[in-house]
Amino acid sequence: MTQPLPLQGIRVVDSATLFAGPLIGTMLGDYGADVIKVEHPDGDTLRSLGWERDGVSLWWATAARNKRSVTLKLSDPDGAEAMRRLLATADVYVENFRTGTLERWGLGWETLHALNPRLIMVRTTGFGQTGPYANRPGFGTLAEAMSGYAFMNGFPDGPPTLPPFALGDGVAALTGAYATMLALWWRDRSGTGQMIDLSIVEPLFWILGPQASVYDQLGIVQQRTGNRAPFTSPRNAYQARDGVWLAVSASAQSIAERVMSLVGRSDLVVQPWFRSHSGRIEHQDELDAAIGFWIARRDADEVIRAFEEVHAAVAPVMSIADVVRDPQFIDRDMVTTVEHPKLGPLKMQNVVPRMSATPGSVRWCGPELGASNEAILGDELGYSPAELADLVAKGVIAAPPGRPGEPAGDDAAPAR
């Protein structure tokens, strides 16, 4: 890589699992942080979750990219001691153990802050470090249920709908990465690290719009509305003649007028009720029927061209098969290719966001279990070969993986 990475020189220790905590480390690693993934000697759960090819976890390859793997049994005193030595060298520590677990192992915030006052500790749990639910196990699914998201998601005549991907974890990870950068910025000014209490449910609740204010002032509980929006119309998904579904959004008054004129219903544009969001919502059945009828008589490409000509917003509902061959996404390299030591060329999502002076990069895929035990515990922390062998014999660390292992340094395979 010839361009600088903005987080070079920042060391992140990541002992979190599934999914919010690890994704914080992934995002920081994409921009150059030295992310050390600390796993139990048996391996991270993500190594055996979901889709595999030839015994290789595709989820692990993506979520653990740009990380180095170290194995430590933290519940063992020797493992905890090695972790303290590692964290003494770290800038950021990301964990998601149940509240109180690290304290029992001598790895709680007070201990680590005294050991390394500049350390930033990101504690990721379902419900936070305090409150009556603090000790409950928490997953993104529970956050999606309890935040209000599932209650409002789905069609009016259907059940609450959970997303088929880690939405709550992803939102929490974005929030956690942002909080980490705030803490690093503050540390540069004050010289002191801090603890970040990241609840998975709270960031998802935060992005759901002004629900709390609406309920407080109007007593309204937002219900399930399918593809419609409860605050503007027209907004829906409509099926074209060739079977393609198209998403249409006309939140601005001028766009709503252009859409209805395009579909041949200028008579609706001049109605008094059309001049406000609330009026259009009251008549959304009529608006949807007109748009749906017009789109159903045309193929998707024709509809898209017509909408573009009048500067109205429309887009096809795309699968991943559509995404990887879409010219816009190809041009922007939204899906990049990285060399995997076992699978060869492997496609995955590229880094986000895009920065002009210091763009991030995917330099290698998720590493083999314990691939950096010798480099980090031995070369960097000073454990002798005999001490490492003793830790292997005690089950505190995993035995060295077979080669090929994790690419490192100049041998890391760049994205292309």
Side-chain angles (χ1 to χ4, degrees):
M1 302 299 295
T2 58
Q3 292 175 299
L5 292 167
L7 295 181
Q8 284 179 342
I10 296 295
R11 170 167 285 188
V12 178
V13 176
D14 163 19
S15 68
T17 58
L18 301 181
F19 291 96
L23 291 179
I24 295 171
T26 304
M27 284 184 279
L28 299 177
D30 284 351
Y31 282 91
D34 175 24
V35 183
I36 299 172
K37 182 69 185 180
V38 176
E39 306 178 62
H40 188 278
D42 292 338
D44 190 284
T45 304
L46 195 56
R47 289 183 178 274
S48 58
L49 186 71
W51 303 269
E52 294 184 356
R53 181 186 173 193
D54 299 335
V56 175
S57 166
L58 299 177
W59 217 333
W60 176 260
T62 299
R65 69 193 195 188
N66 294 332
K67 299 182 182 182
R68 298 194 287 164
S69 173
V70 164
T71 55
L72 287 174
K73 186 177 181 181
L74 300 183
S75 60
D76 185 282
D78 289 334
E81 172 57 25
M83 186 64 157
R84 283 189 290 269
R85 290 170 63 172
L86 178 60
L87 291 173
T89 72
D91 298 283
V92 179
Y93 176 35
V94 183
E95 63 92 11
N96 72 336
F97 290 99
R98 196 179 302 188
T99 303
T101 300
L102 286 179
E103 281 72 12
R104 291 198 305 273
W105 297 341
L107 294 168
W109 165 244
E110 297 298 333
T111 299
L112 298 181
H113 184 59
L115 173 71
N116 180 358
R118 292 177 56 82
L119 181 69
I120 294 159
M121 186 177 189
V122 187
R123 313 202 73 171
T124 307
T125 57
F127 306 102
Q129 297 293 312
T130 60
Y133 301 160
N135 292 317
R136 287 186 182 182
F139 291 94
T141 299
L142 306 188
E144 291 147 9
M146 296 179 68
S147 64
Y149 170 81
F151 182 88
M152 69 165 70
N153 188 44
F155 285 86
D157 57 352
T161 304
L162 295 165
F165 65 101
L167 173 64
D169 291 273
V171 173
L174 288 166
T175 307
Y178 164 68
T180 299
M181 298 311 300
L182 289 177
L184 286 169
W185 180 84
W186 176 249
R187 190 190 69 175
D188 286 347
R189 300 182 71 197
S190 68
T192 304
Q194 61 183 294
M195 189 265 285
I196 298 169
D197 181 359
L198 179 63
S199 158
I200 298 176
V201 70
E202 290 167 6
L204 186 56
F205 173 71
W206 189 87
I207 71 166
L208 293 182
Q211 285 196 84
S213 300
V214 171
Y215 179 69
D216 175 62
Q217 297 296 310
L218 303 176
I220 294 174
V221 176
Q222 186 171 330
Q223 303 295 313
R224 293 184 287 283
T225 55
N227 291 318
R228 289 175 169 176
F231 45 83
T232 191
S233 180
R235 192 261 201 179
N236 213 324
Y238 310 91
Q239 192 171 29
R241 180 172 58 190
D242 54 2
V244 176
W245 285 90
L246 298 165
V248 173
S249 178
S251 299
Q253 179 70 26
S254 59
I255 296 178
E257 293 173 1
R258 292 198 292 270
V259 168
M260 298 316 300
S261 297
L262 173 65
V263 302
R265 295 303 305 272
S266 298
D267 58 306
L268 298 180
V269 175
V270 299
Q271 297 298 319
W273 53 261
F274 194 87
R275 300 171 187 166
S276 68
H277 293 291
S278 59
R280 294 198 299 275
I281 289 172
E282 291 177 1
H283 293 81
Q284 58 187 335
D285 287 344
E286 189 174 2
L287 298 175
D288 277 343
I291 297 170
F293 178 79
W294 187 88
I295 289 178
R297 297 166 63 86
R298 293 161 174 81
D299 289 343
D301 287 345
E302 180 185 353
V303 173
I304 292 172
R305 285 195 302 270
F307 268 70
E308 289 179 346
E309 288 173 0
V310 299
H311 303 288
V314 66
V317 176
M318 300 171 69
S319 71
I320 185 59
D322 301 316
V323 167
V324 297
R325 60 173 178 258
D326 184 87
Q328 170 70 15
F329 301 149
I330 292 172
D331 182 78
R332 289 180 60 81
D333 198 26
M334 196 169 81
V335 177
T336 192
T337 303
V338 189
E339 194 69 23
H340 190 281
K342 292 183 178 178
L343 300 179
L346 175 64
K347 293 186 180 298
M348 63 178 66
Q349 293 97 323
N350 211 339
V351 300
V352 291
R354 298 173 185 271
M355 300 177 68
S356 62
T358 55
S361 68
V362 184
R363 301 175 299 284
W364 64 82
C365 300
E368 294 286 326
L369 178 66
S372 294
N373 277 353
E374 293 180 7
I376 294 173
L377 298 178
D379 299 342
E380 298 178 20
L381 298 186
Y383 282 85
S384 68
E387 289 173 318
L388 292 178
D390 183 57
L391 292 176
V392 170
K394 293 178 178 178
V396 176
I397 67 174
R403 298 293 187 262
E406 163 200 6
D410 293 337
D411 295 329
R416 55 179 174 80

